[in-house]
Amino acid sequence: MSTKRELTVELGERSYPIYIGEGLIDEAGELFAKHGISKKSPLLIITDDEVAPRHLAHLNDVLSGAGFKVSTAIVPAGESSKSLAKLEELVTQALQAGLDRKSAIVALGGGVVGDLAGFVAASYMRGVKFVQVPTTILAHDSSVGGKVAVNHPLAKNIIGAFHQPELVLYDLLTLQTLPQRQISAGLSEVVKHGLIWDAEFVAWCDDHAEQLCALDHEALSYALYKGCSVKAAVVSEDERENGLRAILNLGHTIGHALEAVAGYNELLHGEAISIGMIGSARLAVALGAPEEIYNVTKRVLTKVGLPIRLPAHLDTDAIMEAMQHDKKFQEGTMVFIVPAAIGKVEINTQVSASLVREIVEQLKQEA
Amino acid sequence: MSTKRELTVELGERSYPIYIGEGLIDEAGELFAKHGISKKSPLLIITDDEVAPRHLAHLNDVLSGAGFKVSTAIVPAGESSKSLAKLEELVTQALQAGLDRKSAIVALGGGVVGDLAGFVAASYMRGVKFVQVPTTILAHDSSVGGKVAVNHPLAKNIIGAFHQPELVLYDLLTLQTLPQRQISAGLSEVVKHGLIWDAEFVAWCDDHAEQLCALDHEALSYALYKGCSVKAAVVSEDERENGLRAILNLGHTIGHALEAVAGYNELLHGEAISIGMIGSARLAVALGAPEEIYNVTKRVLTKVGLPIRLPAHLDTDAIMEAMQHDKKFQEGTMVFIVPAAIGKVEINTQVSASLVREIVEQLKQEA
């Protein structure tokens, strides 16, 4: 049995706990009640058609058994469910299930389900309670910080809110059925949290890449705890993304553009971010930072099974164009998060488009 | 020239000013700049096809002349524009106009435009700045408190947010072209603010009904100032509608149901609320309050030209059913705002459905 861990995301009156451990779904009734989820008002579990067969009945049984009024909604797995059309359907289901202002929305799944269900929770009746039960490694990232959103045909995550959960319940047993590609993609944001904040944790990832890929529970529990902790520290200082929080976007300016151009399906989010982080490391070196940044970034990402080369068939012009729609453009200036060392990044607001284009071309040659 | 008035909605760091006066659009450039609206990032004015021909060019000229980057979007007038489909279209326009995180959305119009544009501002990039330029009397109500939303086919205002504007700019000249029916409907919420909070102001409305209906600027400026002040006082104490703010719903439980059943078009919002307030007064009397509550409510609403009889063809069962979807139902208990005196209301959580049904029937006989 691995260590059961708990941490608090400190956000004043919106603070909330994250529980990480084996078999935590069995304790859902007790933990939900402890954190103020109502047994009188119906709650709605939103999940996807890949997670539902594995975990929905279990969570439903535990909560119903504990006296909660549970209803459920299942959306197709994948990014295409993050749409306003799906939001409207889920609101229909919430209304039909009788959800009121004291109800809660529960996200059971990965980042897509968390983002979508979170935006339902943020906007249904102008905001109801929200609980996250992540079932992927990647979701450790979106479970901290309250950023929820759906996509627009022209841009990802462009319609959304900041809406903090009441609690996050991370059951390591739900991760056991993840395919290897998803495991690696999930570890991408774990490594990112080290790269921006904690050189020691990057070294630990370097040493424990094999255990992480094998889903060793003790290693995984520690990595999720560290990843959540870094993100919580950043978010606590800057809940609304006015400044510091931007450092969490390491690799995301290029990464989001790759996802948009590749159509959200060819590349998993974590894979796109991995390529984006290699791009940021190259950018850092081009701007005069030590070569070691690039070497370590590349080694760790490769060890955990992530791609580092940008698929050559993706059009460079289209990638550059997609970056224009990125939220990180502010008043015409291009903002990039650039490593200054392993475990430390800087916000560079003066990166020229021509240098970025060069980096994109180099990423197609990466080996 | 009538008195120029200013008040502040006190909400800590989200406090904002409301300016009321003749010709204020001419001062928009100065006031926008004073309250932090960016001249570097493009702003988007959202209006409807009835207001656009009268005021859009004026506001656009003033702001462009002052150095703001202005783009505009026009939606069809009427409640049907408060939809997720329209939200998506407006986000398309915002993206195409290049709005970034420091941009602002400006609502030029009545309550529908304010609610819709406000939800665009709340959700675009997870929230950008918002300015209200109300062009109806009714909009004095929605311009205080930050409640923004769109409708769902099954329920009104069910998808939304709390998003406070940076400033509200109330130009009395924009009210001059309002048709009489809209004037009366707008005065409905003005009277409501008296009924829930300020007996003296109800007496003033009783004395000045004629001037108000004639859009006398001095009377109107005072009435809007008082209406906004009452709402601001309530909202300051309860921004997120956890308690006190519910008193603003006087007349709304029945009123929203009437709008839903009549299809949002037969009855204007203010008309539905007027009938709802008569219902609440009847409810109060039925529960033992003084008959005077009913008499005064009826007299003032009639004087400002509002309907007090529920259209007989609206089906009572359908009205009762529509109330089941109202957000004011909590954990199975029906919540009604009931007058205790003129200028004072109470939250009654124990109103029986059979009594409400009786009142609805009586409202069809009202004369």
Side-chain angles (χ1 to χ4, degrees), chain A residues 282-306:
Chain A
R282 278 195 171 276
L283 198 55
V285 174
L287 294 169
E291 186 91 24
E292 190 221 357
I293 291 174
Y294 169 74
N295 294 335
V296 172
T297 302
K298 183 171 164 179
R299 184 173 71 238
V300 178
L301 292 173
T302 306
K303 270 195 183 178
V304 298
L306 282 163

Side-chain angles (χ1 to χ4, degrees), chain A residues 11-323:
Chain A
L11 293 165
E13 62 180 16
R14 288 183 297 283
S15 295
Y16 62 92
I18 299 179
Y19 297 94
I20 302 168
E22 277 175 37
L24 281 184
I25 284 181
D26 292 330
E27 300 173 32
E30 185 186 313
L31 290 170
F32 276 45
K34 180 177 170 190
H35 294 286
I37 306 305
S38 171
K39 291 187 183 182
K40 290 191 201 163
S41 295
L43 62 79
L44 176 65
I45 302 174
I46 297 175
T47 189
D48 71 36
D49 56 13
E50 286 180 5
V51 174
R54 297 204 291 264
H55 307 297
L56 182 56
H58 185 191
L59 181 60
N60 191 342
D61 288 351
V62 170
L63 290 173
S64 300
F68 291 89
K69 295 180 189 161
V70 181
S71 56
T72 62
I74 301 173
V75 301
E79 194 74 27
S80 62
S81 281
K82 279 177 60 176
S83 68
L84 286 176
K86 197 52 74 181
L87 173 79
E88 187 156 75
E89 280 177 44
L90 289 169
V91 169
T92 305
Q93 290 181 266
L95 284 166
Q96 286 169 347
L99 268 73
D100 62 40
R101 288 179 170 186
K102 296 193 175 171
S103 290
I105 302 280
V106 181
L108 172 66
V112 165
V113 165
D115 281 0
L116 171 63
F119 192 48
V120 174
S123 58
Y124 183 70
M125 295 188 171
R126 298 195 184 86
V128 296
K129 288 181 175 174
F130 178 43
V131 181
Q132 297 236 44
V133 185
T135 61
T136 66
I137 297 170
L138 184 60
H140 91 279
D141 181 51
S142 50
S143 69
V144 182
K147 283 172 78 167
V148 296
V150 296
N151 299 327
H152 180 281
L154 295 178
K156 211 180 155 182
N157 291 327
I158 210 80
I159 303 170
F162 290 89
H163 193 66
Q164 307 296 343
E166 302 300 309
L167 74 156
V168 176
L169 202 153
Y170 227 124
D171 187 341
L172 298 176
L173 295 179
T174 64
L175 305 177
Q176 281 181 325
T177 50
L178 282 176
Q180 191 60 52
R181 188 177 166 200
Q182 291 284 356
I183 293 169
S184 294
L187 292 171
S188 181
E189 298 272 7
V190 172
V191 173
K192 182 200 77 180
H193 287 127
L195 288 173
I196 64 172
W197 198 260
D198 190 336
E200 213 171 287
F201 180 50
V202 175
W204 183 92
C205 290
D206 201 355
D207 291 343
H208 294 78
E210 205 176 318
Q211 288 98 313
L212 288 173
C213 288
L215 295 178
D216 172 84
H217 276 190
E218 184 53 33
L220 198 56
S221 168
Y222 179 73
L224 291 172
Y225 175 79
K226 288 296 283 183
C228 289
S229 299
V230 169
K231 182 149 186 197
V234 174
V235 167
S236 295
E237 280 191 41
D238 177 24
E239 185 178 0
R240 306 283 300 192
E241 199 160 9
N242 295 314
L244 181 68
R245 190 162 170 164
I247 70 171
L248 297 168
N249 288 320
L250 179 70
H252 281 61
T253 303
I254 292 174
H256 278 165
L258 297 186
E259 286 179 283
V261 173
Y264 296 144
N265 286 316
E266 177 179 346
L267 286 170
L268 298 174
H269 179 69
E271 293 169 342
I273 299 317
S274 175
I275 298 164
M277 288 191 286
I278 296 293
S280 305
R282 278 195 171 276
L283 198 55
V285 174
L287 294 169
E291 186 91 24
E292 190 221 357
I293 291 174
Y294 169 74
N295 294 335
V296 172
T297 302
K298 183 171 164 179
R299 184 173 71 238
V300 178
L301 292 173
T302 306
K303 270 195 183 178
V304 298
L306 282 163
I308 55 171
R309 186 192 298 169
L310 198 158
H313 70 92
L314 297 181
D315 182 57
T316 301
D317 286 339
I319 293 168
M320 294 304 294
E321 168 65 21
M323 280 190 244

